[in-house]
Amino acid sequence: MPLNESFLQELKFKTDIEDIISGYVSLKKRGSTSVGLCPFHNEKTPSFTVYNDTQSFYCFGCGAGGDAVTFIKKIENLDYIDAVKLLAQRVGLQMPEDNSFDESLSKKRRRILEINRETAKFYYNFLVSPQGKAGLDYYLNRGLTANTIKRFGLGYAPDEWDSLLKHLKSKGYRVGEMVDAGVVKVGRNNNYYDTFKNRVMTPIIDVRGNVIAFGGRVLDNSKPKYINTSDTLVYKKTNELFALNLAKDNCSDTLILCEGYMDVIAMHQAGFTNAVAGCGTALTNEQVRLISRYTKEVILAYDADEAGQKALNKAISLFKQTDIKIRIPSLVGGKDPDEIIKKYGRDKFKGMLDGASNEIEFALLDLRNRNNLNTTQGKIDFLNGAIRVLSDVSPIEQDLYLSRLSNELGVDKSSIKIQLADYSRKNKQRQRRNMQKSVVDESIRENQKISYQNNTSIKQIKAEERIISLLLRYPDCIKLCSDFDAEKFSSAFIKRVFKEIISRLNSGLDVDLINFSGILTNEELGRLSGIIARTRESRNAKKEFSDCLAIVNEEYNNANNPSSSDMTDDEFRKLFNKG
């Protein structure tokens, strides 16, 4: 059940979507809108747009859209009620106390977080007890201090099958809730047992200070070496970064990204309190976007082994799609940061970080290693690769690197510069064509998909979307709907939104996006936001509205005719570009 109208109305008046989003995304004014790099997919050209007049956002790149509540839901990975609560707290509003909303999902999340917190306390208390000596000795032998162990809330899971289960039961938690939290599992015979047994435990804490998951490691060489919490209602490993809750408050403008939890812990103990690690086996787009909210520069301190270098190359490719600067240190003398710090100390490791090369230098070094510069062909292959690398950097950087390459290889700088300019021009044209084609083709595919699924024409789909956009922008058009049957809409989504709008307008209620956040999914809100974002002002809204209704009526009456013969793809491209 949605929240009551008076509360939503007050929340709407006190919330400015640009203020909310600017806390996560760097926005630039562009006329009456603001644009920035989308936080929900990687991009270098801004396609994320904030509309102050409709208090909405829409990304033309990935289709994400909605109001301030939707944005908070997506960016903070919250359900509807918790997102509203967070917004209300920011503007100083109290949530209504009349139980006019369904808080079951929110309550379930809170119970899971409570169980996780109690579980973390249980593991820590067991670690520092006489029975947990094996776990404590493991951490001490790894060089951790008691203060570090406490700061990270490290623990030890007993060598028993149900010790945690019994403990949580004694605290009043139900077994089903423990399973939902991922700390207890169901066996083949419907018997329950602890997920973690005889392992040193690392709690994963989000930026709000909630324990959301755990990582467990064996004390010997038995398999599996690591066990991690599976995805739950409060945890999705692809979205989280270990120790970001600590690193985000560091005064440094840089984050150090490592591979493992122990590397991060060792680095924090050595004073590098801006270190974080991905949760899961490989860095993800979601984690990169999370990093972009807290820093503009990342040092990639990955392991020196083959697996680490493979992960490093993937990380570089992900960061290249953002405006985050990256630097890559040359880690020598150990397989990972933890080992290097133990062998050579903090200062030696700091020198490696300070001497980290940027992405361009790292790529050029890699090219050098792969080509024999003592041969003519080796120089040609190296320069062709270098031109591709340098095509995306600023003119000043290009000039500096071209001077260096010219001196190093004995090739005239102007010749390299001409070839670079030619490659850059062709590459930009190709990228521009590909982007435009991708956006238009995706819209064509989506409309053709809807057309095929609903056995209707592209013309009707466009008319239906225009009816919704006109009704939201010009509510007075409702007077023309008295004889219109909503069942004639081909799209169930349009039908549902249309009925909701009519119902609200007939009741004298607002039809702002915030009023749809509680009844539409994120994907549906994205589609509705896209319709709104592409809305043009109308010189004669009522006539246009009537014309669109006529198209829907006509197409409905001719439902047995071929559904896509009325508009070619080229015609649609022209229509799309106009709209």
Side-chain angles (χ1 to χ4, degrees):
M1 183 185 298
L3 291 157
N4 67 58
E5 289 294 327
S6 60
F7 172 79
L8 282 179
Q9 187 80 351
E10 190 174 3
L11 182 63
K12 180 187 73 174
F13 284 135
K14 291 192 174 184
T15 301
D16 184 282
I17 192 167
E18 187 172 341
D19 286 344
I20 296 297
I21 292 180
S22 62
Y24 302 88
V25 179
S26 179
L27 297 174
K28 292 182 179 179
K29 278 288 185 184
R30 184 180 290 174
S32 61
T33 64
S34 298
V35 298
L37 295 173
C38 180
F40 305 119
H41 83 286
N42 292 334
E43 62 177 10
K44 281 195 170 182
T45 303
S47 60
F48 181 86
T49 309
V50 180
Y51 302 87
N52 275 314
D53 57 342
T54 59
Q55 286 292 291
S56 65
F57 72 92
Y58 185 71
C59 175
F60 290 90
C62 69
D67 65 325
V69 176
T70 318
F71 182 84
I72 292 297
K73 279 172 65 180
K74 288 178 69 66
I75 201 80
E76 295 285 359
N77 191 30
L78 297 174
D79 59 42
Y80 171 66
I81 293 299
D82 283 340
V84 171
K85 283 182 178 178
L86 184 57
L87 275 180
Q89 288 171 2
R90 291 187 178 186
V91 299
L93 274 181
Q94 289 289 325
M95 290 290 287
E97 299 179 357
D98 56 2
N99 297 320
S100 61
F101 53 90
D102 182 4
E103 206 181 2
S104 57
L105 192 62
S106 183
K107 287 180 179 177
K108 190 174 182 180
R109 286 174 58 91
R110 285 201 299 273
R111 290 290 281 183
I112 290 175
L113 292 175
E114 289 173 11
I115 287 173
N116 286 343
R117 185 173 64 249
E118 187 60 40
T119 298
K121 288 167 57 180
F122 174 79
Y123 288 148
Y124 175 79
N125 289 333
F126 186 76
L127 177 77
V128 297
S129 72
Q131 293 83 5
K133 185 176 184 301
L136 185 60
D137 286 345
Y138 170 83
Y139 282 130
L140 295 176
N141 290 334
R142 292 292 300 263
L144 300 187
T145 65
N147 185 55
T148 297
I149 291 170
K150 185 175 183 180
R151 186 170 188 235
F152 282 89
L154 304 179
Y156 182 36
D159 191 10
E160 298 175 10
W161 288 109
D162 59 356
S163 58
L164 175 65
L165 189 151
K166 290 177 179 176
H167 173 77
L168 292 176
K169 271 187 176 180
S170 72
K171 295 292 182 177
Y173 297 107
R174 298 187 298 275
V175 175
E177 293 175 322
M178 302 176 206
V179 174
D180 290 339
V183 298
V184 165
K185 288 190 173 183
V186 186
R188 293 180 180 176
N189 299 319
N190 287 328
N191 59 318
Y192 298 94
Y193 61 93
D194 294 354
T195 300
F196 302 98
K197 173 178 176 287
N198 194 28
R199 291 174 181 268
V200 286
M201 301 298 300
T202 303
I204 298 167
I205 301 171
D206 67 14
V207 292
R208 293 179 293 276
N210 299 312
V211 180
I212 55 175
F214 296 90
R217 186 198 191 282
V218 294
L219 300 177
D220 52 26
N221 294 320
S222 59
K223 304 293 181 181
K225 185 175 182 180
Y226 298 101
I227 291 180
N228 299 296
T229 302
S230 300
D231 286 357
T232 68
L233 194 60
V234 303
Y235 173 68
K236 189 176 181 183
K237 65 182 178 182
T238 57
N239 292 352
E240 302 295 340
L241 289 166
F242 175 69
L244 184 60
N245 60 308
L246 301 174
K248 69 181 178 66
D249 297 324
N250 185 279
C251 59
S252 172
D253 294 327
T254 301
L255 287 178
I256 306 171
L257 184 60
C258 310
E259 282 190 79
Y261 301 157
M262 189 55 71
D263 286 330
V264 171
I265 295 170
M267 290 180 69
H268 274 252
Q269 181 169 283
F272 304 100
T273 55
N274 55 335
V276 298
C279 298
T281 55
L283 190 68
T284 66
N285 287 323
E286 293 85 359
Q287 289 163 345
V288 168
R289 292 194 288 273
L290 179 58
I291 287 170
S292 69
R293 288 163 50 188
Y294 293 94
T295 189
K296 291 299 180 184
E297 182 180 73
V298 174
I299 297 176
L300 302 176
Y302 278 58
D303 294 357
D305 59 16
E306 184 179 348
Q309 292 306 294
K310 185 177 179 181
L312 171 64
N313 288 327
K314 180 183 179 182
I316 291 173
S317 68
L318 291 178
F319 281 111
K320 281 179 71 174
Q321 301 173 52
T322 72
D323 61 349
I324 299 175
K325 293 181 180 179
I326 61 173
R327 293 196 291 131
I328 303 102
S330 178
L331 300 182
V332 294
K335 66 178 186 299
D336 55 38
D338 182 26
E339 185 176 316
I340 294 171
I341 290 172
K342 283 186 176 65
K343 276 186 179 181
Y344 302 104
R346 179 190 187 281
D347 292 342
K348 180 77 172 179
F349 184 73
K350 184 177 185 301
M352 295 179 188
L353 296 182
D354 292 342
S357 59
N358 63 31
E359 172 193 348
I360 305 303
E361 291 167 340
F362 180 81
L364 293 177
L365 179 61
D366 183 56
L367 280 170
R368 282 189 185 89
N369 293 334
R370 290 193 282 112
N371 292 283
N372 183 0
L373 301 188
N374 294 318
T375 67
T376 300
Q377 188 60 48
K379 288 182 179 180
I380 292 172
D381 292 341
F382 171 75
L383 281 173
N384 284 334
I387 282 169
R388 288 192 293 273
V389 170
L390 296 175
S391 64
D392 286 335
V393 304
S394 70
I396 293 176
E397 288 178 294
Q398 285 182 353
D399 193 66
L400 290 171
Y401 283 112
L402 290 182
S403 297
R404 186 189 301 180
L405 292 176
S406 174
N407 293 331
E408 180 184 353
L409 301 177
V411 179
D412 186 65
K413 179 180 176 181
S414 62
S415 299
I416 308 176
K417 197 168 186 177
I418 290 171
Q419 192 165 338
L420 174 59
D422 183 58
Y423 176 85
S424 297
R425 177 179 55 81
K426 291 178 179 177
N427 191 45
K428 285 179 181 177
Q429 289 175 346
R430 184 167 56 251
Q431 288 177 345
R432 190 160 49 245
R433 285 195 304 268
N434 290 341
M435 179 178 291
Q436 183 177 10
K437 185 177 184 298
S438 175
V439 170
V440 175
D441 286 352
E442 179 60 32
S443 186
I444 289 173
R445 282 193 297 271
E446 183 63 25
N447 279 294
Q448 286 178 336
K449 177 182 173 184
I450 296 171
S451 173
Y452 176 79
Q453 289 175 340
N454 299 330
N455 191 30
T456 189
S457 67
I458 300 291
K459 183 167 70 173
Q460 180 170 356
I461 293 169
K462 299 292 286 186
E464 290 181 356
E465 291 187 348
R466 188 61 174 156
I467 286 170
I468 296 298
S469 63
L470 288 170
L471 199 53
L472 289 172
R473 183 182 281 267
Y474 307 100
D476 201 41
C477 287
I478 191 175
K479 295 175 182 178
L480 304 174
C481 298
S482 57
D483 297 328
F484 180 74
D485 182 5
E487 296 303 318
K488 291 183 178 180
F489 284 125
S490 63
S491 164
F493 168 75
I494 295 292
K495 189 184 303 181
R496 183 169 158 224
V497 171
F498 178 83
K499 288 181 176 179
E500 182 66 24
I501 294 172
I502 297 298
S503 173
R504 295 187 65 83
L505 291 177
N506 282 334
S507 301
L509 301 175
D510 287 342
V511 287
D512 299 306
L513 265 185
I514 194 170
N515 301 108
F516 294 87
S517 292
I519 58 176
L520 298 180
T521 66
N522 287 347
E523 291 72 23
E524 290 171 334
L525 278 163
R527 185 176 172 189
L528 181 57
S529 299
I531 292 172
I532 295 171
R534 290 187 289 268
T535 297
R536 308 179 306 279
E537 290 188 5
S538 179
R539 294 180 179 178
N540 191 335
K542 289 187 177 180
K543 182 181 184 306
E544 189 178 355
F545 192 82
S546 294
D547 290 344
C548 288
L549 288 178
I551 289 173
V552 173
N553 281 321
E554 179 185 355
E555 293 295 314
Y556 179 79
N557 294 331
N558 298 327
N560 293 324
N561 291 339
S563 63
S564 58
S565 61
D566 58 80
M567 187 178 292
T568 67
D569 285 353
D570 286 339
E571 288 172 334
F572 177 74
R573 281 188 175 88
K574 292 177 183 178
L575 184 62
F576 178 90
N577 289 332
K578 288 178 183 177

